[in-house]
């Protein structure tokens, strides 16, 4: 059986390659398809840890966010012509939220991008996506991993260095996530035990 038999309507790249616009133009792409370096990236099924952790962070950020910021989950952020990843959670400027039918945001809208690492996304979440977010000028980035000792989230907080344009690690949070930037945040990470 050939690939064409298995995937008869599979999108074939044009000669000049795919662009971020194709992500929104092509019909029937699987939910949560992203574009990284001009290639479509499909998400595998997510674990309970991934889902519950993202919910915990989304709720905590929503409670703390000032009125001029909104918190969204699993929304594509267009970073450039061939870059359109989907952070697990993002904090956006309220002006970037253009109504209930919005299907994407832009780098200029994003204050914080959060990636919760899964086995299928480890290389992207730890390497390429933070690089792309920093290059696009997103000031804050969190990488979230499961702590092997108690299966709770560990949040690696990064801020973009204004001189180098790359992220610098500013803290590792295991029990409680207390920050003053990008706004006052206090999230009890042990709450995952009760969810």
């Amino acid at each position: 059986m050939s690939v064409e038999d298995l995937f008869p309507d599979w999108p074939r790249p044009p000669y000049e390659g795919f662009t971020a616009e194709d992500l929104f133009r092509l019909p029937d792409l699987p939910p949560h398809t992203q574009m990284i370096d001009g290639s479509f990236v499909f998400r595998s099924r997510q674990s309970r840890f991934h889902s519950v952790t993202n919910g915990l962070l989304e709720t905590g950020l929503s409670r703390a966010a000032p009125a001029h910021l909104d918190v969204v989950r699993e929304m594509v952020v267009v970073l450039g012509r061939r870059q359109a990843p989907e952070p697990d959670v993002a904090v956006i400027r309220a002006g970037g939220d253009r109504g209930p039918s919005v299907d994407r945001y832009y780098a200029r809208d994003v204050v914080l991008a959060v990636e919760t690492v899964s086995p299928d996304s480890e290389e992207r979440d730890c390497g390429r996506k933070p690089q792309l977010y920093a290059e696009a000028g997103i000031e804050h980035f969190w990488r979230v991993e499961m702590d092997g000792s108690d299966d709770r989230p560990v949040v690696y907080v990064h801020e973009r260095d204004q001189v180098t344009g790359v992220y610098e690690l500013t803290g590792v949070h295991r029990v409680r996530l207390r920050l003053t930037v990008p706004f006052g945040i206090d999230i009890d990470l042990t709450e995952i035990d009760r969810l």
Side-chain angles (χ1 to χ4, degrees), residues 6-20:
L6 291 171
F7 304 104
D9 297 326
W10 199 255
R12 307 231 186 333
Y15 175 74
E16 63 279 1
F18 287 120
T19 67

Side-chain angles (χ1 to χ4, degrees), residues 20-143:
E21 270 311 303
D22 293 321
L23 186 62
F24 304 98
R25 183 182 58 79
L26 290 172
D28 302 324
L29 287 173
H32 306 290
T33 300
Q34 306 175 69
M35 176 170 284
I36 297 178
D37 299 327
S39 296
F40 292 123
V41 176
F42 307 110
R43 186 174 88 175
S44 67
R45 288 192 175 108
Q46 300 302 299
S47 68
R48 181 179 186 285
F49 171 82
H50 192 274
S51 178
V52 172
T53 296
N54 290 338
L56 175 68
L57 295 174
E58 178 187 23
T59 300
L61 286 166
S62 294
R63 277 193 294 241
H68 69 281
L69 298 174
D70 292 324
V71 180
V72 297
R73 189 165 162 183
E74 299 171 342
M75 290 289 295
V76 170
V77 175
V78 177
L79 304 177
R81 187 164 187 262
R82 298 187 191 281
Q83 311 294 351
E86 184 183 273
D88 289 306
V89 180
V91 176
I92 60 163
R93 290 174 183 84
D97 190 352
R98 297 171 302 280
S101 62
V102 69
D103 65 352
R104 73 197 84 174
Y105 294 101
Y106 295 89
R108 67 180 176 268
D109 303 325
V110 181
V111 173
L112 165 67
V114 180
E115 294 290 352
T116 300
V117 178
S118 296
D120 77 308
S121 68
E122 184 175 7
E123 289 181 26
R124 288 186 303 275
D125 292 346
C126 297
R128 189 64 177 135
K129 285 173 118 180
Q131 181 184 26
L132 292 171
Y133 293 145
E135 288 172 358
I138 296 172
E139 296 298 320
H140 302 275
F141 170 72
W142 297 354
R143 185 182 80 243

